[in-house]
């Protein structure tokens, strides 16, 4: 299909065998030699060339027309062919160099960072302006819609990934990640433009319009709806059609909903279109069918999110155990970590950190948090006994020192899940839950109005909010650490008694 992909997967961080595999050989200008390119080469060349074009475009309009706003540049470009021709030559000669062969291909770029801040969307629109100047006939901005309630939790798990990684690597073990409780409280304060956003992330109702506003008039915007689709390959529903030719207000049509086997199938076969990408579309369909045939789960989704609320739940428990001294690393464990540290070893926090300043900040924050936590738990202000790590009756407990180990222990050894009343859970008050539901409904009606009007829209959203998100998944809830650790005396008591034999009740904030 004459396509080059320069999205996230082709960048740094992906396995060398994928990013460094030769995929293209291009004849050099002398006609006698060829140059090989890998996905990583093409992403670097693309990003460098695009940033170069943006600088040239902005510098030209700032110097010659005193223009800096994207919308002003857009209006001028649409009627000034002479400037367009001049900039096209500058772009090709100064920015693309030995990567100019890429301009003979369709280019697909994909990255969640496009939604981070307002300026990113305007920048993305300006990039579309550059490709319009280069002569690309079709320009398409595609966004994947996800329901607000699920989206904010996905954004939360993304936000705490750096903290989780520290814990997984054996560092900052006594430092809990940002709590879901505080995160949701912050979101409830959002008003106006930021009402449906969360922290650094802008939702789809903002990103696509802002890209279109800064981009050329020919720019198309499309919304993918894969995450809300039914689990079956074919779905029919009754559609009340009062605008038919029979003048019968009670006439009912049976409508077939368009569904896809994977999000990539929807992207290549529908959003970009089979007419543009027939081979890529067919390839995506083939892969999706193979994956479905080998999957034991009846779940329709072939896309998984590596960060889950379960991870944050178990991380909060383990970090609290470290904080209170229920888990104490052995001298051998500390020495091993110290030897592996390549930057600065923080004795006060028993962690590998960037420098002494970071060490002091971590120790101060940890001690403050520990004091407030203990003051809440123990009326007499005495610290809990240190048992695990210093001769626990079960040596296996000494191996449970991070969230992954605790998660595996709880789910695989005992066959339990934190959502099934095996842990003390606290959920937001009714006002917060109603706000999340109303925002979910209003955003869906705004972004995918036709889908919202189907049985899988408003009615289904209200159902899954109560029965799936809240009751089954406890999506907006967290572990009440004060209840879990109240008067406990050992790590063994926590993981083998309180997380196993207690029948906890779910509480709601007042």
């Amino acid at each position: 299909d004459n396509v080059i992909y320069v999205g996230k997967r082709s960048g740094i961080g992906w396995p060398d065998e994928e990013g460094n595999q030769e995929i293209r050989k291009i004849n050099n200008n002398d006609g006698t030699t060829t140059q090989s390119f890998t996905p990583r080469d093409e992403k670097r060349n693309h990003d460098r060339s695009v940033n170069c074009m943006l600088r040239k475009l902005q510098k030209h309009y700032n110097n010659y027309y005193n223009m800096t706003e994207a919308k002003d540049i857009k209006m001028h470009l649409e009627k000034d062919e002479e400037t367009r021709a001049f900039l096209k030559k500058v772009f090709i000669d100064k920015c693309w160099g030995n990567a100019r062969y890429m301009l003979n291909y369709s280019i697909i770029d994909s990255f969640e960072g496009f939604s981070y801040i307002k300026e990113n969307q305007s920048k993305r629109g300006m990039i579309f302006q550059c490709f319009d100047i280069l002569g690309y006939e079709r320009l398409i901005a595609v966004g994947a819609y996800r329901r607000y309630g699920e989206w904010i939790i996905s954004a939360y798990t993304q936000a705490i990934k750096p903290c989780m990684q520290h814990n997984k690597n054996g560092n900052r073990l006594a430092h809990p990640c940002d709590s879901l409780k505080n995160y949701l409280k912050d979101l409830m304060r959002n008003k106006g433009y930021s009402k449906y956003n969360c922290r650094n992330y802008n939702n789809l109702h903002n990103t696509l319009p802002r890209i279109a506003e800064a981009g050329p008039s020919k720019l198309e915007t499309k919304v993918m709806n894969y995450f809300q689709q039914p689990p079956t390959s074919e779905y029919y529903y009754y559609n009340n059609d009062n605008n038919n030719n029979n003048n019968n207000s009670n006439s009912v049509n049976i409508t077939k909903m368009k569904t896809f086997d994977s999000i990539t199938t929807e992207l290549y076969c529908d959003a970009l279109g089979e007419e543009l990408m027939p081979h890529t579309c067919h390839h995506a369909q083939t892969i999706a069918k193979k994956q479905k045939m080998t999957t034991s789960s009846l779940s329709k989704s072939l896309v998984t999110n590596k960060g889950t609320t379960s991870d944050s739940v178990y991380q909060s428990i383990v970090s609290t155990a470290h904080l209170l001294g229920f888990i104490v690393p052995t001298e051998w464990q500390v020495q091993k970590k110290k030897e592996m540290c390549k930057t600065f070893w923080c004795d006060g926090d028993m962690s590998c950190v960037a420098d002494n300043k970071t060490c002091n900040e971590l120790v101060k924050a940890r001690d403050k948090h520990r004091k407030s936590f203990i003051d809440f738990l123990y009326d007499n202000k005495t610290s809990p006994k240190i048992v695990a790590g210093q001769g626990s009756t079960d040596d296996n407990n000494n191996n449970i020192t991070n969230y992954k180990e605790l998660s595996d222990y709880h789910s695989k050894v005992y066959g339990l899940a934190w959502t099934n009343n095996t842990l003390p859970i606290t959920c937001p008050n009714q006002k917060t839950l109603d706000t999340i539901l109303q925002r979910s409904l209003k955003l869906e009606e705004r972004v995918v109005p036709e889908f919202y009007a189907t049985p899988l829209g408003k009615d289904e959203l209200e159902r899954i909010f109560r029965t799936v998100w809240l009751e089954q998944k406890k999506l907006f809830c967290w572990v009440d650490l004060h209840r879990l650790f109240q008067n406990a005396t050992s790590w063994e008591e926590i993981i083998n008694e309180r997380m196993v034999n207690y029948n906890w009740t779910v509480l709601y904030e007042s």
Side-chain angles (χ1 to χ4, degrees), residues 275-335:
E275 70 281 1
L276 286 179
M277 312 191 73
H279 298 92
T280 309
C281 168
H282 176 71
H283 181 65
Q285 289 173 330
T286 301
I287 291 176
K289 287 177 182 177
K290 286 181 178 179
Q291 286 179 315
K292 250 187 175 177
M293 289 174 62
T294 57
T295 238
S296 58
S297 170
L298 295 178
S299 171
K300 73 180 179 71
S301 179
L302 301 174
V303 180
T304 58
N305 188 337
K306 293 183 179 180
T308 68
T309 50
S310 294
D311 288 344
S312 65
V313 163
Y314 290 111
Q315 194 277 340
S316 67
I317 296 172
V318 171
S319 64
T320 302
H322 280 281
L323 186 73
L324 298 178
F326 281 52
I327 302 175
V328 178
T330 64
E331 291 183 9
W332 177 84
Q333 289 171 328
V334 173
Q335 185 61 33

Side-chain angles (χ1 to χ4, degrees), residues 474-509:
K474 306 290 191 297
L475 206 59
F476 314 109
C477 308
W478 53 89
V479 170
D480 189 333
L481 297 170
H482 293 123
R483 279 198 286 161
L484 181 62
F485 282 87
Q486 182 76 51
N487 296 324
T489 58
S490 73
W491 185 224
E492 182 178 346
E493 179 185 345
I494 295 294
I495 65 177
N496 291 322
E497 295 180 28
R498 296 192 174 207
M499 293 178 62
V500 178
N501 298 324
Y502 278 46
N503 186 22
W504 300 96
T505 58
V506 177
L507 300 181
Y508 290 82
E509 289 189 309

Side-chain angles (χ1 to χ4, degrees), residues 37 56 59 75 83 88 97 155 166 169 188 212 220 225 240 243 270 286 306 339 342 363 365 368 373 382 391 422 472:
F37 293 93
K56 299 293 184 185
K59 182 178 180 180
M75 291 179 62
T83 296
K88 179 178 181 179
H166 280 304
N169 293 339
M188 295 304 101
E220 305 169 45
N225 196 35
N240 293 319
N243 297 318
D270 186 67
T286 301
K306 293 183 179 180
E339 290 173 356
K342 303 299 182 183
V363 171
K368 180 179 179 181
F373 200 93
T382 58
T422 62
Q472 294 179 21

Side-chain angles (χ1 to χ4, degrees), residues 222-257:
K222 297 187 178 183
V223 176
M224 296 194 298
N225 196 35
Y226 171 75
F227 293 111
Q228 289 66 237
Q229 291 175 7
T232 56
S233 57
E234 290 189 352
Y235 180 83
Y236 297 85
Y237 64 95
Y238 291 107
N239 179 28
N240 293 319
D241 185 4
N242 296 328
N243 297 318
N244 54 65
N245 296 325
N246 297 326
N247 295 320
N248 184 354
S249 60
N250 295 320
S251 175
V252 175
N253 290 333
I254 297 178
T255 303
K256 180 180 179 181
M257 181 176 290

Side-chain angles (χ1 to χ4, degrees), residues 128-147:
F128 277 114
Q129 288 283 7
C130 292
F131 279 98
D132 183 39
I133 291 171
L134 288 172
Y136 276 76
E137 294 180 2
R138 286 193 70 181
L139 303 167
I140 309 172
V142 181
Y145 167 65
R146 194 170 185 181
R147 281 171 165 153

Side-chain angles (χ1 to χ4, degrees), residues 38-51:
T38 68
R40 199 157 291 165
D41 292 332
E42 293 190 328
K43 176 168 179 57
R44 280 195 292 256
N45 289 339
H46 167 270
D47 292 351
R48 183 181 63 246
S49 300
V50 162
N51 288 329

